[in-house]
Amino acid sequence: MKKNVLTKLGLLSLLLVVIVACTQIPTIPGVVPPDPFGVMKPSSWGNTVRIYGAVDKEPFLTPLAIPDVVKIRLNIPSYAKEELSEDNFLVFEDDKAQGFLLFKESSVRSFDKVDIGLIVDVTGSMGDEIAGVKSSISNFINDLTSMGIDVRVGIMPYGDYAPASPTTDDEIGFDPPFLDLSDLTTAASYANQLALGYGGDGPENAYGAIMKAWEEMSWRDDARKIFILITDAVSHYRGDGAYQPFEPQYTKEEVIDALSTHAILHIVASVGWCYSESDTDFSNPNDPREIAIQTGGYVIYFNPGEDFDLTALGITEAITSSWIVAFESDSPAATHTIEIFFEASDENQGYLKLAGIEY
C-alpha cells in the first residue's frame, strides 16, 4: 500500500514538473485559421521587394501544440520596422492556399545573447569581396550591439585548410589562426587583418571550417548560435578525391547533423561560376546551401564587384526582426513547395519560393 502511495505521489510530482515546465515555454500565439476556400495564386505579381525565408527549425512550441504546424521564418529588410499583418501575405503549400498566423519571432524567443561565427573564404577568387567583408563586419556588429543584444563574434578564415595556413596551399595565415567568440572591438580588429591567399583548386574547405568553428569556439549554452558563411566557392568533402596532401574530413550530412536544432547557418554567396539565384537544387554533396536550408538559415546572393555590406543584405534583420508564418500542413511527411506573396501598404510586392522543402 505504501509503495502504491509513493508511486502515485511520484507521478503527481512529475506531472507538476511537466506542467510548470510547459508554462515557461512560449506557444504559438493563437489558433491557426482554416484554409481559405477558392483562393488562387496571382497570375502576375511584382518582385520589387526582396524576401528571405526558411523553414524554422528552432523549437519554441510545447509538446501539446498542434503537431503538424509548419513555421516559416521571413525576413523583409526594407520593411523590418513596419507592423505587418496577415493581410500583407498570401501563403501556398503545393499550390493550395493556407490559413496561417503571422507573428514576430521576438515574441516567442529571447535574443538577449547571440554568438555569431563568421566563416570567411580568404582565397584569391574573393578579391572583389574581401574589402567589403572587412569593413562591413564592424558595421554589422555595431548594428546588433545598438539593439541592446549581448553579441559575441568569432571569425574563421579558410581556404583548402581550416583555418587558412601559410604553410599550405592557402599561402596565408593570421595571428591567431582564427578568432574565438569575442567582443566587438576584438572582432573588428581581427577582421581588419584579413587578406587573401591562393587556395589551390576551385572548391574550398567550407565544411571543415564550419566544423572547426563549431567544435573549438566557445559557444555559450544560453546564446542563440548563428553561422554566416561568406564565399564564392563550393566545398570539398570527404571522399571527393581532392588532391594530396589535402584530405577533407567531413561530409555535408555530418555538418547538418552537428548543427541541426543547435545552430543556424546563413550563407552569403557571391554569384558566379558556383552560385546563381536561379538555382533550386542544392543536393550536390559540395553545395553548402543545403546546410542553410536544413538548419533554418537563409541563402543570400550578391554580385561580385558590388559594395559588400552585411548590414544591407538582411542579416541583421534575420537575427532581430524576423516574422514567423505558421500554418498546418496537409501532408507533413512529404516534400513540398512553399510560395509566399507579399504586398506592402505602398503596393510594392515581393515573392518567395521554397522548393523541395521537408518539414
Side-chain angles (χ1 to χ4, degrees):
M1 182 70 175
K2 182 183 291 185
K3 184 176 181 179
N4 289 338
V5 171
L6 291 175
T7 300
K8 291 178 180 179
L9 287 174
L11 290 173
L12 179 60
S13 299
L14 179 61
L15 179 61
L16 289 173
V17 168
V18 170
I19 292 173
V20 171
C22 287
T23 61
Q24 296 173 343
I25 304 175
T27 60
I28 203 166
V31 177
V32 178
D35 295 342
F37 179 75
V39 175
M40 306 296 291
K41 290 192 298 185
S43 57
S44 63
W45 197 260
N47 200 22
T48 57
V49 179
R50 176 161 286 191
I51 303 176
Y52 304 113
V55 176
D56 182 27
K57 301 287 187 175
E58 293 185 281
F60 66 79
L61 299 176
T62 73
L64 301 177
I66 302 168
D68 295 338
V69 71
V70 177
K71 300 171 292 172
I72 305 297
R73 187 190 306 109
L74 294 179
N75 170 20
I76 311 174
S78 53
Y79 293 89
K81 296 182 179 179
E82 294 201 9
E83 286 302 316
L84 304 178
S85 72
E86 285 87 349
D87 293 337
N88 296 111
F89 296 90
L90 292 172
V91 178
F92 292 82
E93 179 192 53
D94 304 326
D95 297 326
K96 181 182 178 183
Q98 299 294 307
F100 65 94
L101 292 172
L102 179 77
F103 51 92
K104 274 282 191 177
E105 185 181 15
S106 57
S107 69
V108 294
R109 294 194 179 106
S110 171
F111 299 106
D112 293 337
K113 295 181 181 179
V114 179
D115 286 344
I116 301 172
L118 292 170
I119 314 298
V120 183
D121 183 343
V122 292
T123 56
S125 60
M126 289 287 289
D128 290 333
E129 294 88 2
I130 193 64
V133 170
K134 293 167 62 173
S135 63
S136 70
I137 286 175
S138 180
N139 294 334
F140 168 60
I141 301 170
N142 275 322
D143 266 10
L144 291 175
T145 305
S146 67
M147 296 177 183
I149 297 174
D150 176 4
V151 60
R152 300 193 308 168
V153 173
I155 302 175
M156 177 66 67
Y158 77 96
D160 273 335
Y161 294 81
S165 169
T167 61
T168 67
D169 288 330
D170 295 333
E171 296 181 348
I172 193 168
F174 307 96
D175 184 22
F178 72 92
L179 181 69
D180 195 2
L181 292 157
S182 303
D183 60 84
L184 180 154
T185 302
T186 303
S189 177
Y190 188 87
N192 192 54
Q193 69 166 310
L194 294 178
L196 299 181
Y198 173 53
D201 59 355
E204 309 303 344
N205 192 13
Y207 300 161
I210 295 168
M211 292 303 294
K212 180 81 170 179
W214 183 237
E215 293 172 352
E216 298 194 19
M217 287 186 180
S218 303
W219 303 91
R220 294 174 290 185
D221 290 339
D222 58 346
R224 192 179 201 192
K225 302 167 184 65
I226 295 172
F227 287 91
I228 301 173
L229 172 63
I230 304 170
T231 186
D232 66 344
V234 292
S235 181
H236 281 298
Y237 57 93
R238 190 176 69 248
D240 70 351
Y243 63 86
Q244 298 295 328
F246 174 65
E247 296 182 2
Q249 299 298 308
Y250 299 97
T251 65
K252 178 165 61 176
E253 290 71 22
E254 289 170 335
V255 178
I256 292 172
D257 287 345
L259 269 56
S260 181
T261 73
H262 300 293
I264 295 172
L265 182 136
H266 302 295
I267 177 170
V268 182
S270 178
V271 173
W273 66 278
C274 285
Y275 299 114
S276 168
E277 292 195 54
S278 63
D279 294 343
T280 58
D281 182 2
F282 305 154
S283 62
N284 192 296
N286 67 6
D287 192 336
R289 290 175 291 184
E290 188 175 6
I291 304 175
I293 298 302
Q294 293 298 326
T295 61
Y298 301 147
V299 179
I300 299 174
Y301 299 96
F302 68 99
N303 294 313
E306 290 182 349
D307 290 338
F308 182 92
D309 185 357
L310 284 170
T311 62
L313 291 174
I315 292 291
T316 304
E317 290 82 3
I319 297 171
T320 61
S321 302
S322 293
W323 293 86
I324 298 289
V325 166
F327 64 90
E328 292 181 67
S329 176
D330 294 323
S331 53
T335 299
H336 301 280
T337 296
I338 299 170
E339 295 173 276
I340 296 178
F341 298 82
F342 168 76
E343 184 170 52
S345 57
D346 57 11
E347 299 185 353
N348 279 313
Q349 295 177 329
Y351 172 72
L352 174 69
K353 182 177 182 178
L354 301 175
I357 297 299
E358 296 179 358
Y359 305 143

